Amino acid sequence: MDQTLPKEFKLRDEFAPSSYRDWRALAEVDLKGVPFEKKLITKTYENIDLEPLYTKEHLEILKNIEQFPGFTKFLRGSKPDGSSVNTWFIAQGLIHPLAENFNKLLLDSLLRGQTAVVLPLDKTTKLGLDADYGKPGETGDGGVSISGTGSLSRAFLGVDLTACPLFVSTGFSPFVFLSILKGYSIKEGVEFNKINGSVSADPVTFLFENGEMPVSIDEAYSQLATSIRFLESENSGLRTIGINGATYVEKGASAVQELGISMSLAVEAICRLSELGIDPATIPQKMIFNFGTSTNLFMEIAKFRAARILFSEVLSSFNLPSDSVKMFAAAKTSGYYHSFVDPYVNMLRVTTQAFSAIIGGVDLIETLPFDSSFEQPDEFSNRIARNTQIILSEESHLNHVIDAAGGSFYVETLTAQIVDNAWSYFREIEDQGGIYKAVIAGKIQSDISGLAQKRVKDVATRKTVIVGVNSYANVKEEVKQPMVFDARKIYDLRAAYLQKLRVSGNGGIHSSILKDLEDVKNEKDGVNKLKLASSLAAKGATLGEIFSHMSNSAVSETVEPITVKRPAHDFEQLRIRASAHKRKNGSLPKLYLFNVGPVKQHKARADFSRGFFEAGGFEVTYGQGVSEVSAGVEAAVASGAQVFVLCSTDDTYPELVPQFVKAIKQIDKDAICILAGYPKDQVEAHKQTGIDEFIFVGANVVQVINNIFDRMGVEK
């Protein structure tokens, strides 16, 4: 028999071509009556139905697929060469309330691969207040406390801001921070117009996030317009208009919601700033889009591609040159999807998030340390976060591939679906009068809150899996209590520093500064006002002093803020509760799987039960299968458990349950008896017999385990 392989082997000649329709017909036969849509279609939070298979036929109905990177609405990226020449900026938000400590972290990071400076500001600074005029809990919260040029000098000691771009999100207005930054450049001899990056503000998002804003929305945009004119007078390329979609992602927004909101924020800025005299053609060039990233890899890749198309559509609707203005997109990995339970898995989440942003074609990525949600990141966690990007670039060579997702049947189709759904949501917001009015009316809060609650419920019922949290839990791990931010200590440190500075400084100079600030207050021209304030900042005027003299609004804004839980939160609380029980009693709450019948009879439900209860912090003993209840009682008692789960089949339960409950309750009348499964026609009878809980696919794990903990006396 001749077994020589042919020189050419063409699979197409061996197999007859088939269509998606042919494949689906065969799949439906194999489903044996189960609806295709129910079994093989995946529903997403974006209201998109994911197919099990995508083919060339899906692309045939899509528009604008045949194009090159850097052209035609930038579907395939804003640069023709992708990241192969100018790679994305590698950034980290190095969170520390004190400028000098931030500086140490920054210098180390810049020496080890970071290529952009992100300066996160605390809430007090964003409110335009000096540290000692803020509130404990706000001073130092979420970023560095900056009260003047001295703070910036300490933060940037040894850093050349003209050598790498600087990115600062200033809250509702860049006005006052720009005066401090300009004052710093005067004081330190830095050429201001050579500082690149952004000093940006997003008034609507600040109001949404904090529930309050110390100026009116009109004043906030007026200060934004003045900031743009000031930077133009300084010949500065700093971007000032923030479109902070990441804030909404941190509250649980879907990719569609984030994009719809982001486009509406862009429209709000274009309309308001145009009315204030800013040339509409220049406004898009002043924007920086800050997106969050979820752990849904392909959804995020498609989201970043869709964002560029949507932005082009927005510009086209204003008759602006959409094919020449390139979106500057920054991405930040989202802590919303992190957990302090099995925290090293967060490294994998960050990697997935960063990967999707790179493939999606963003310009800057900020990777969070894996422990940032529960303690002050240390050298190790900061290094791992930074190296995640470096490895993706230098070892995975993602910077050498141009639009790696281009042509993918799945990603191209998903991109088009996101564009359609996001545009519909954008129009829905615009029909409300725009994003500002939608936030004031509570629509945005309601939409996101509803989705966030669904996320929490899906995790609680294990419809959505969080590895290490609600599935594949590591019960041997010692769960740490999240570090509590010592708000009073930070406030006292900063307040003492500022008060000492005021007392020890030259009183005459300070009085002169305050007098000059009154002149600044009376200055009618906004650009001149900002320039005068900058010179006074260089002399020692503080951020709070400048803001109090430069703000023209006595009106503030308030809305109902949104409060949501991270999806992992409820499971974290269960694990904390179980760990506290261990510290008090020497062991985790104990549970015994009472397995009856041969392996094939009990194994599926026993395995399910172990995963179910370990996710809540139980120490689970996996009992050996026995042929009858009486044969397993001795081992169950020896386990020291207070909770017992009967694992077998629905057919055997009518006979087994009474024996099981009687045997367990005779030993311990307070023992908790649970049935693995939910045979609907037997439930009431089993409850009457003494079954306390039923566990099954779709059961609310958090609710069930909390109920059991309450009965066991496990403290909250």
Side-chain angles (χ1 to χ4, degrees):
M1 180 178 179
D2 185 8
Q3 295 182 336
T4 304
L5 291 174
K7 292 183 178 180
E8 293 186 9
F9 186 70
K10 297 181 180 179
L11 289 175
R12 185 170 294 180
D13 296 338
E14 299 293 327
F15 298 95
S18 60
S19 66
Y20 174 80
R21 187 176 300 171
D22 297 333
W23 173 84
R24 177 161 175 163
L26 287 173
E28 288 177 336
V29 171
D30 289 339
L31 289 172
K32 298 177 180 178
V34 179
F36 182 91
E37 288 75 13
K38 182 178 180 180
K39 191 71 174 178
L40 294 181
I41 297 295
T42 302
K43 304 286 185 180
T44 73
Y45 295 113
E46 289 73 19
N47 200 27
I48 292 172
D49 294 342
L50 299 182
E51 299 271 356
L53 177 69
Y54 290 85
T55 69
K56 183 180 179 181
E57 295 169 38
H58 286 85
L59 297 189
E60 292 172 354
I61 62 174
L62 301 181
K63 300 177 182 178
N64 299 320
I65 291 297
E66 298 296 331
Q67 58 175 276
F68 295 103
F71 299 93
T72 317
K73 298 183 179 179
F74 307 110
L75 165 64
R76 302 197 61 196
S78 59
K79 297 178 289 187
D81 56 8
S83 296
S84 59
V85 176
N86 296 309
T87 188
W88 67 91
F89 291 113
I90 297 174
Q92 289 180 275
L94 301 165
I95 305 296
H96 202 288
L98 302 179
E100 52 272 27
N101 291 344
F102 168 81
N103 175 256
K104 293 175 183 177
L105 297 172
L106 178 60
L107 289 175
D108 182 69
S109 296
L110 290 172
L111 289 172
R112 300 176 189 275
Q114 183 173 321
T115 59
V117 176
V118 173
L119 175 64
L121 302 179
D122 70 344
K123 186 176 179 181
T124 298
T125 304
K126 290 180 178 179
L127 285 169
L129 301 174
D130 289 337
D132 53 342
Y133 280 84
K135 300 175 183 176
E138 293 182 354
T139 296
D141 179 32
V144 187
S145 173
I146 301 291
S147 294
T149 56
S151 300
L152 286 185
S153 294
R154 294 195 303 278
F156 297 140
L157 181 65
V159 177
D160 182 0
L161 290 183
T162 65
C164 57
L166 168 68
F167 297 90
V168 188
S169 179
T170 61
F172 62 87
S173 170
F175 198 61
V176 177
F177 187 86
L178 276 174
S179 70
I180 299 296
L181 182 62
K182 173 63 177 176
Y184 162 82
S185 72
I186 296 170
K187 177 183 173 183
E188 299 292 342
V190 178
E191 293 184 70
F192 184 74
N193 63 358
K194 290 188 177 180
I195 300 176
N196 296 310
S198 70
V199 176
S200 61
D202 183 346
V204 176
T205 299
F206 182 87
L207 180 60
F208 164 83
E209 182 179 18
N210 296 282
E212 60 179 354
M213 187 164 65
V215 300
S216 68
I217 192 70
D218 292 335
E219 171 66 11
Y221 276 103
S222 176
Q223 292 186 10
L224 189 52
T226 299
S227 300
I228 292 172
R229 294 191 185 96
F230 167 75
L231 290 172
E232 288 175 344
S233 73
E234 294 284 335
N235 195 29
S236 170
L238 286 171
R239 296 173 183 265
T240 50
I241 306 169
I243 309 294
N244 293 335
T247 299
Y248 303 89
V249 172
E250 289 294 342
K251 300 295 183 181
S254 69
V256 162
Q257 287 175 328
E258 181 190 14
L259 290 182
I261 290 168
S262 295
M263 295 308 122
S264 194
L265 286 167
V267 168
E268 189 86 24
I270 293 171
C271 291
R272 286 182 175 273
L273 292 172
S274 297
E275 291 173 0
L276 291 167
I278 303 298
D279 181 2
T282 68
I283 293 173
Q285 300 170 26
K286 306 294 183 183
M287 291 181 176
I288 174 170
F289 285 78
N290 296 295
F291 294 113
T293 53
S294 77
T295 51
N296 190 335
L297 177 68
F298 291 104
M299 186 68 72
E300 291 301 310
I301 292 172
K303 180 187 79 175
F304 291 118
R305 302 172 92 243
R308 294 188 290 271
I309 298 175
L310 289 165
F311 188 47
S312 293
E313 291 291 345
V314 165
L315 297 183
S316 295
S317 67
F318 282 99
N319 295 318
L320 296 174
S322 60
D323 287 345
S324 61
V325 178
K326 300 176 181 179
M327 168 189 283
F328 187 95
K332 182 177 181 180
T333 61
S334 175
Y336 177 78
Y337 298 94
H338 285 199
S339 175
F340 59 75
V341 171
D342 209 351
Y344 295 109
V345 180
N346 292 335
M347 295 182 188
L348 303 180
R349 298 182 181 111
V350 168
T351 302
T352 298
Q353 292 170 311
F355 180 90
S356 64
I358 294 167
I359 300 301
V362 304
D363 301 288
L364 176 143
I365 302 174
E366 183 182 339
T367 38
L368 290 179
F370 73 89
D371 56 354
S372 59
S373 64
F374 59 91
E375 64 184 16
Q376 178 68 48
D378 58 16
E379 188 276 335
F380 172 73
S381 58
N382 278 321
R383 177 165 58 88
I384 291 297
R386 179 177 61 254
N387 284 355
T388 298
Q389 293 192 58
I390 295 172
I391 290 170
L392 290 173
S393 172
E394 302 298 326
E395 295 189 22
S396 299
H397 301 293
L398 296 188
N399 59 331
H400 292 164
V401 183
I402 302 173
D403 187 29
S408 161
F409 302 149
Y410 175 29
V411 176
E412 295 287 10
T413 304
L414 188 56
T415 300
Q417 291 174 315
I418 291 175
V419 167
D420 290 342
N421 287 16
W423 189 259
S424 295
Y425 187 61
F426 160 69
R427 292 295 299 271
E428 187 179 317
I429 296 170
E430 291 303 299
D431 288 344
Q432 291 270 322
I435 187 67
Y436 168 67
K437 290 185 177 179
V439 168
I440 291 293
K443 171 183 169 50
I444 304 301
Q445 295 91 319
S446 176
D447 289 350
I448 294 176
S449 179
L451 185 58
Q453 290 173 20
K454 186 177 187 308
R455 290 187 190 275
V456 170
K457 181 180 178 181
D458 287 347
V459 171
T461 57
R462 301 209 297 177
K463 180 179 179 181
T464 298
V465 171
I466 304 180
V467 174
V469 178
N470 68 346
S471 291
Y472 312 108
N474 178 13
V475 291
K476 295 181 180 180
E477 173 212 2
E478 188 67 33
V479 177
K480 294 181 179 180
Q481 285 278 5
M483 182 186 73
V484 178
F485 173 61
D486 194 339
R488 171 55 66 177
K489 179 181 178 181
I490 296 299
Y491 175 82
D492 289 345
L493 278 172
R494 293 291 293 132
Y497 178 86
L498 281 168
Q499 289 163 14
K500 181 179 179 182
L501 182 68
R502 292 187 182 110
V503 171
S504 63
N506 187 311
I509 293 177
H510 191 67
S511 297
S512 174
I513 289 173
L514 294 177
K515 180 179 180 300
D516 290 340
L517 281 171
E518 288 296 326
D519 296 335
V520 171
K521 185 175 183 179
N522 297 325
E523 172 62 48
K524 300 300 182 184
D525 184 271
V527 173
N528 286 338
K529 180 180 285 193
L530 214 161
K531 288 186 175 183
L532 290 170
S534 300
S535 64
L536 293 176
K539 294 179 180 178
T542 66
L543 178 138
E545 291 168 347
I546 293 172
F547 176 74
S548 65
H549 286 81
M550 292 179 72
S551 178
N552 294 321
S553 175
V555 180
S556 60
E557 299 268 1
T558 59
V559 297
E560 188 66 32
I562 180 174
T563 303
V564 298
K565 294 187 290 190
R566 287 179 295 105
H569 174 270
D570 288 344
F571 280 90
E572 292 169 344
Q573 297 308 304
L574 289 177
R575 296 292 297 277
I576 287 175
R577 201 172 173 184
S579 294
H581 181 83
K582 180 179 180 179
R583 288 193 296 272
K584 183 177 180 180
N585 300 283
S587 68
L588 294 169
K590 293 184 176 182
L591 178 144
Y592 184 82
L593 300 182
F594 203 114
N595 301 322
V596 180
V599 171
K600 67 178 182 179
Q601 181 173 315
H602 70 257
K603 182 173 175 26
R605 281 179 166 167
D607 288 348
F608 170 81
S609 299
R610 177 163 60 185
F612 188 102
F613 287 105
E614 285 184 342
F618 273 98
E619 178 185 315
V620 176
T621 300
Y622 198 103
Q624 186 175 353
V626 294
S627 58
E628 56 186 28
V629 170
S630 60
V633 174
E634 184 178 345
V637 173
S639 71
Q642 295 174 264
V643 184
F644 302 86
V645 184
L646 178 61
C647 302
S648 193
T649 62
D650 290 356
D651 292 340
T652 62
Y653 281 157
E655 178 184 353
L656 294 178
V657 168
Q659 300 173 26
F660 166 70
V661 172
K662 182 179 180 181
I664 296 300
K665 295 289 186 180
Q666 281 181 342
I667 297 165
D668 181 0
K669 62 182 179 62
D670 295 323
I672 298 171
C673 295
I674 298 172
L675 193 66
Y678 194 81
K680 293 181 180 179
D681 58 334
Q682 304 174 25
V683 167
E684 289 305 317
H686 293 328
K687 285 182 178 178
Q688 294 296 321
T689 303
I691 291 295
D692 298 298
E693 292 280 359
F694 298 82
I695 64 167
F696 49 92
V697 175
N700 190 310
V701 180
V702 174
Q703 183 177 316
V704 168
I705 295 180
N706 268 323
N707 290 341
I708 294 171
F709 279 173
D710 289 345
R711 292 191 58 170
M712 292 175 65
V714 177
E715 295 179 3
K716 292 185 178 179

